[in-house]
Amino acid sequence: MKSSTQDKLVFAGIIAGVLLVTFLFKLQMFVSTQPVLTITSSGFVDGGEISKTYTCDGQGQSPALTISGVPTSAQTLVLAMQDLDIPRTEFVHWLVYGIAPNGVFSDNALPVGSEQGLNAKNERSYIPVCPPEGKTHHYQLSVYAVNKGLHFVTPPNLQQLKTAIRGSVVAKGVVTARYTRKTVAQ
């Protein structure tokens, strides 16, 4: 009888161990261990207001950016800037790929060797931030470090780029900033 009780306890311990390992494995799938890229700009900070320079109320130029924390395994970077407050999904203001891992964006200039993908207007350019008058919109800038080169016959849109980098992202960084457009008196 004693042996039967011990066998049951050992079996219960094994089952509990298997369940714990299974739980921890599933939990790990939801917790990212991926390195985080740091994105900085002289025109905005994460959670802050975007400088008028990068809007339709200013010069409408693309922002200067510095990306740090890029893993050595990254071959290229991809950047996407989207308006989070437009009801239409994935309104892309800016899409850039082929960015060297040490690439730096100057105001209104791309890093050497990089290329622009298609924005929401199906053009290869930066669409200046421009919410409706009196409204505040939030803009998310995401940068992906990718461990392979990217080559396209025609300029890609955001979905095509996401498909191309699936399974190859080794780090990601995200910043979100807002812009409030003043109401112009008639």
Side-chain angles (χ1 to χ4, degrees):
M1 282 285 191
K2 203 175 202 184
S3 176
S4 173
T5 303
Q6 286 177 338
D7 289 345
K8 288 179 182 175
L9 287 173
V10 168
F11 182 72
I14 291 171
I15 294 298
V18 167
L19 291 173
L20 179 62
V21 168
T22 302
F23 171 76
L24 291 174
F25 177 75
K26 287 184 178 183
L27 181 63
Q28 181 183 359
M29 290 175 26
F30 295 105
V31 177
S32 176
T33 57
Q34 192 176 71
V36 176
L37 301 173
T38 302
I39 306 163
T40 55
S41 175
S42 58
F44 58 87
V45 296
D46 194 22
E49 185 84 7
I50 296 174
S51 169
K52 189 176 180 179
T53 302
Y54 310 112
T55 73
C56 61
D57 295 324
Q59 290 80 23
Q61 63 188 35
S62 60
L65 301 169
T66 301
I67 302 154
S68 57
V70 179
T72 56
S73 60
Q75 290 186 24
T76 189
L77 302 175
V78 172
L79 174 145
M81 183 176 178
Q82 297 173 260
D83 185 331
L84 300 178
D85 295 304
I86 290 186
R88 184 176 127 197
T89 60
E90 296 189 331
F91 187 92
V92 178
H93 278 265
W94 199 22
L95 190 59
V96 184
Y97 64 98
I99 307 162
N102 61 353
V104 174
F105 290 76
S106 299
D107 276 346
N108 217 33
L110 298 175
V112 174
S114 64
E115 297 185 54
Q116 293 188 95
L118 300 175
N119 62 28
K121 293 181 177 179
N122 213 29
E123 298 171 347
R124 296 175 70 182
S125 63
Y126 171 76
I127 299 173
V129 168
C130 196
E133 287 184 6
K135 301 287 183 182
T136 298
H137 277 208
H138 297 82
Y139 301 89
Q140 184 176 68
L141 198 143
S142 305
V143 177
Y144 305 88
V146 181
N147 66 2
K148 66 179 185 178
L150 299 171
H151 306 285
F152 297 94
V153 175
T154 58
N157 62 27
L158 182 59
Q159 287 307 315
Q160 292 165 328
L161 256 173
K162 283 183 175 181
T163 299
I165 66 174
R166 188 174 296 131
S168 301
V169 175
V170 294
K172 179 182 177 183
V174 176
V175 294
T176 304
R178 67 187 179 284
Y179 182 68
T180 302
R181 193 147 183 239
K182 308 292 185 238
T183 302
V184 178
Q186 298 287 336

